[in-house]
Amino acid sequence: MLKDFGWTKDVARRLDDTSSEVRREASIALLSMAPDHVAKEVGKRLPTETDAETIVRFLEVLSERSGNDAAQAIATWMQSEGGQTQLAV
C-alpha cells in the first residue's frame, strides 16, 4: 500500500485547479509527499500558468527539488511563451 502512488495523480490534478491557492498548495504537497514526481508534474503546468504568485511558488518548489529534471522544467518554462512573457515583466 505504501508503494501505491495513485494519490499522486489526484494531487497533480490540483495543479490545474481554478484556484491559484489550490495550485500553489498542490505543488507544495507534491514536493513533500512525492519529490520524485514534482518536477514532471509542475514542469507540465508551469508554461501555461498565468498567476505570478503561483509561478513563483512553482519555481521555488522546483529549486527545492533540484536535479536535472527540475532544471529542465525551469529551462523549458523560460523558453515557453508564458516564461518569455513573465521574464519580460
Side-chain angles (χ1 to χ4, degrees):
M1 186 170 177
L2 291 174
K3 293 183 180 185
D4 177 18
F5 284 100
W7 58 266
T8 304
K9 291 180 182 180
D10 293 333
V11 175
R13 278 191 276 261
R14 301 296 184 251
L15 295 171
D16 291 318
D17 197 272
T18 56
S19 167
S20 58
E21 185 176 351
V22 170
R23 294 192 304 272
R24 290 190 298 271
E25 293 301 320
S27 69
I28 294 167
L30 281 173
L31 177 63
S32 65
M33 296 166 42
D36 292 341
H37 298 277
V38 73
K40 176 185 171 195
E41 298 299 338
V42 171
K44 284 192 294 191
R45 177 65 170 106
L46 185 57
T48 59
E49 181 58 58
T50 57
D51 179 67
E53 193 174 337
T54 303
I55 291 170
V56 169
R57 176 65 68 215
F58 284 179
L59 293 172
E60 289 171 346
V61 163
L62 289 171
S63 69
E64 285 186 41
R65 173 60 183 139
S66 70
N68 290 337
D69 54 347
Q72 183 60 47
I74 294 169
T76 300
W77 170 74
M78 291 176 68
Q79 295 171 358
S80 73
E81 184 177 329
Q84 292 296 313
T85 300
Q86 291 297 324
L87 291 172
V89 174

